[in-house]
Amino acid sequence: MTFLELAQSILKEEKKPLTATEIWNLAVEKGYNKKLNSQGKTPWSTLGAQIYVNSKDNPKSVFAKTDSRPKRFYLKSMEGVLEDYENTIPEDLPPLKKKKFDFLEKDLHKYLSYFVYYHLNCYTKTIRHHISSKKEFGEWVHPDMVGCYYRMEDWKQEINEFSRAVGVNSVVLYSFEIKRELSFANLRESFFQCVSNSSWANESYLVAARISEDEDFMNELSRLAASFGIGVIELDLEDPHSSDVILPAKYKKDLDFETMNKLAMNNDFKDFIETVKIDLTSKKIHKKEYDVVEKIENLK
């Protein structure tokens, strides 16, 4: 049994939308986990990632997901399931009070590392700003986190060799600017901070755990993202697999090596560049040199 077959069986039997965690827990109760053709140490994480990616990127997927948070999955073939589920939610619920922040910006790093590892195949490196000299360059030089996706993990050996022969990049470099919240109060400062330190990367993202749902705000955020090619990621701290790329980044083929040279004054960034070079040369990814990808239970 594959992970997707396991999820399909559980959803067919339960006949209601379920989160990836709920699907896994039920699979363990029913003993389906023993039928998995997997030797991984964190099968629940693999299950969540596979369902999410399949439902999002595969047009022929049997899975669909709800728009609510946390994300729940159901089978497209089960007509009326989503309607029945939504009808169980009372219409006269009192408005939710906005919670005060019970987390720091630095707490979001592990959630972002987890999400991009399982959903973008990206290895991340946190950039500690305080170890850089601020005498020569401004505070907006450094991204909060950088990352790299190695195409060689997905390409056949012949394609990797061909890409090197014709000079095609076999890596995608990412830049991430992390905020606890995005709203009109900090949109422009946060957005242009992201723009100013991302020219060196192929793709750049502004990341937050809370993003205002105000219609005018979303229109302005979408306009800025489209104008400058910056993507936006919304993290879900309750269900990390429900985090989402709500606005995709525009891929930049040409890298700004002058900015990269400035960033290299930071030892974390310099180590990141050196690791990427070594991994490409050796054709082996040294995972210990990147941020630790926490287990899902540690995040929750």
Side-chain angles (χ1 to χ4, degrees):
M1 180 177 282
T2 66
F3 284 101
L4 294 180
E5 289 171 344
L6 178 149
Q8 188 173 356
S9 296
I10 293 295
L11 290 172
K12 188 174 181 180
E13 293 170 7
E14 295 300 315
K15 296 181 173 61
K16 62 180 180 180
L18 297 168
T19 66
T21 302
E22 289 170 339
I23 292 173
W24 175 255
N25 289 338
L26 286 167
V28 172
E29 288 180 14
K30 298 183 178 188
Y32 288 1
N33 60 311
K34 298 177 182 178
K35 300 180 181 180
L36 274 178
N37 183 24
S38 172
Q39 301 297 323
K41 295 181 179 180
T42 57
W44 49 89
S45 298
T46 304
L47 173 70
Q50 288 197 16
I51 303 174
Y52 184 91
V53 172
N54 186 270
S55 64
K56 181 180 179 182
D57 297 336
N58 181 6
K60 298 181 179 180
S61 174
V62 300
F63 301 100
K65 60 182 184 295
T66 65
D67 294 328
S68 60
R69 287 178 175 273
K71 287 282 189 299
R72 285 183 164 83
F73 302 93
Y74 60 96
L75 299 179
K76 292 178 180 178
S77 60
M78 299 165 63
E79 295 183 1
V81 167
L82 184 58
E83 289 79 1
D84 293 341
Y85 168 74
E86 291 176 338
N87 288 337
T88 64
I89 302 175
E91 296 181 358
D92 56 348
L93 286 175
L96 293 175
K97 293 183 178 180
K98 188 174 181 180
K99 295 180 180 180
K100 293 181 179 180
F101 292 116
D102 54 1
F103 57 88
L104 301 174
E105 188 176 291
K106 65 180 182 180
D107 296 328
L108 301 179
H109 286 229
K110 58 186 179 182
Y111 290 90
L112 179 59
S113 291
Y114 183 92
F115 173 68
V116 298
Y117 177 78
Y118 284 107
H119 297 279
L120 298 180
N121 295 328
C122 173
Y123 297 88
T124 62
K125 177 78 171 180
T126 293
I127 304 300
R128 296 169 295 171
H129 295 203
H130 66 274
I131 67 174
S132 295
S133 171
K134 294 183 173 61
K135 294 180 180 179
E136 190 173 357
F137 303 108
E139 62 177 339
W140 285 9
V141 171
H142 305 85
D144 291 318
M145 185 179 285
V146 296
C148 182
Y149 159 53
Y150 294 93
R151 290 182 171 128
M152 64 184 180
E153 284 196 301
D154 296 325
W155 288 356
K156 293 182 174 61
Q157 181 178 349
E158 294 81 3
I159 302 302
N160 278 310
E161 293 174 354
F162 178 75
S163 69
R164 287 194 294 271
V166 299
V168 175
N169 288 336
S170 57
V171 296
V172 178
L173 298 175
Y174 292 91
S175 177
F176 302 101
E177 184 66 33
I178 305 174
K179 301 296 179 184
R180 292 191 296 180
E181 181 180 42
L182 282 179
S183 65
F184 268 128
N186 69 340
L187 174 59
R188 289 190 172 274
E189 179 179 353
S190 300
F191 192 88
F192 289 109
Q193 185 176 359
C194 182
V195 171
S196 70
N197 60 31
S198 64
S199 62
W200 65 275
N202 296 115
E203 293 187 15
S204 306
Y205 287 92
L206 185 56
V207 183
R210 294 182 191 170
I211 298 180
S212 171
E213 297 180 357
D214 178 80
E215 184 177 354
D216 291 336
F217 170 81
M218 288 304 300
N219 288 338
E220 180 65 6
L221 179 62
S222 299
R223 184 189 69 80
L224 290 172
S227 298
F228 294 93
I230 300 296
V232 180
I233 294 176
E234 186 173 15
L235 297 176
D236 189 325
L237 307 191
E238 297 297 325
D239 182 10
H241 284 294
S242 289
S243 300
D244 201 7
V245 179
I246 64 174
L247 293 172
K250 181 179 179 181
Y251 180 84
K252 300 192 297 287
K253 181 179 179 181
D254 298 322
L255 303 178
D256 183 351
F257 285 93
E258 286 299 325
T259 298
M260 201 177 293
N261 187 53
K262 292 179 181 179
L263 285 171
M265 68 180 178
N266 179 283
N267 287 333
D268 288 334
F269 186 81
K270 187 161 53 177
D271 290 344
F272 169 74
I273 293 299
E274 181 68 19
T275 300
V276 172
K277 183 191 73 173
I278 292 173
D279 289 353
L280 285 173
T281 303
S282 65
K283 302 177 186 178
K284 178 183 178 181
I285 300 174
H286 296 78
K287 297 183 179 181
K288 292 184 179 180
E289 300 300 322
Y290 300 97
D291 291 339
V292 173
V293 178
E294 297 281 359
K295 296 181 178 180
I296 188 70
E297 58 266 30
N298 292 342
L299 295 179
K300 293 187 175 184

